[in-house]
Amino acid sequence: MTPFWSYGDLFFILLMFLPVTILSASFMQHRPGGLLAGQLIGYLIWFGFIALLIRVRYRKPFWKSLGWVPSQRWTIVSVVAGLALVIGIALAGSLIKLPPIDSPVQKMLEDPKTLPLAIFSIAIVGPVAEELFFRGFAQPLLVRSYGTFVGIFLTAIPFALLHAPQLQMAWANVALIAAAGIAFGYLRHFSGSTLQSTLMHATYNTALIAGYFAGKNHG
């Protein structure tokens, strides 16, 4: 669907992200898994603003407007693409010798108290929220203005920067996240569906979790 919202709308939604996320996280940070729980609450509030914008201001359907439409012929492609991306990113990471990262997400995966929330957030909530905003809301505007490649590339930059703090600002790692964002963006563009880029993203994240535990058990 051609975007009917404006760059002013995009700026407003971006403006709402930081205060909502910081406020929700501040209430939860002293509890086990509080940062993740706060992030989930922040996403819900943030998407409330997006839903109000689409439903109230423009009187359009929320999910369909953001490209959340089924495409059965792309489903297998999305899963395979997600698995292939894990392998590709792993190979690229080994070639450039990524620095070790003491990630807070890794600590949550290692703590039995926060493990279920961490898996739920990484495998489901993160992909859904990030794809709906970046590939559903932002990318169509940028692609319309600057063309496919530049639009997808520009969308991948803030997507990668969002993950930079948990990667301790290790820019080689952030660059690989941007590459993953470009892959998600192209699938979204060619399939016409954020549901498919979400499935690819979720497959990628789930495979990373499985690979982490497989490596831990093997070690």
Side-chain angles (χ1 to χ4, degrees), residues 80-96 176 179-180 204:
V80 172
L83 295 173
L85 183 61
V86 171
I87 296 171
I89 294 292
L91 289 174
S94 65
L95 287 174
I96 62 178
L176 290 181
Y204 173 81

Side-chain angles (χ1 to χ4, degrees), residues 64-149:
K64 187 176 180 180
S65 296
L66 297 180
W68 191 272
V69 292
S71 179
Q72 291 184 354
R73 69 189 184 92
W74 280 94
T75 298
I76 295 177
V77 174
S78 302
V79 173
V80 172
L83 295 173
L85 183 61
V86 171
I87 296 171
I89 294 292
L91 289 174
S94 65
L95 287 174
I96 62 178
K97 297 180 180 179
L98 294 177
I101 298 295
D102 186 21
S103 170
V105 175
Q106 180 178 322
K107 293 179 180 178
M108 292 178 187
L109 288 172
E110 293 173 350
D111 186 345
K113 294 180 181 178
T114 57
L115 176 61
L117 180 61
I119 292 176
F120 179 66
S121 176
I122 296 168
I124 299 175
V125 176
V128 171
E130 290 166 10
E131 291 307 309
L132 281 175
F133 174 71
F134 287 105
R135 260 63 70 174
F137 195 79
Q139 181 172 301
L141 274 178
L142 293 166
V143 167
R144 184 181 66 185
S145 298
Y146 303 106
T148 301
F149 174 75

Side-chain angles (χ1 to χ4, degrees), residues 9-19 46 133-134 137 158:
D9 296 327
L10 178 61
F11 179 74
F12 170 74
I13 295 301
L14 286 172
L15 198 63
M16 292 295 102
F17 177 73
L18 280 178
W46 193 41
F133 174 71
F134 287 105
F137 195 79

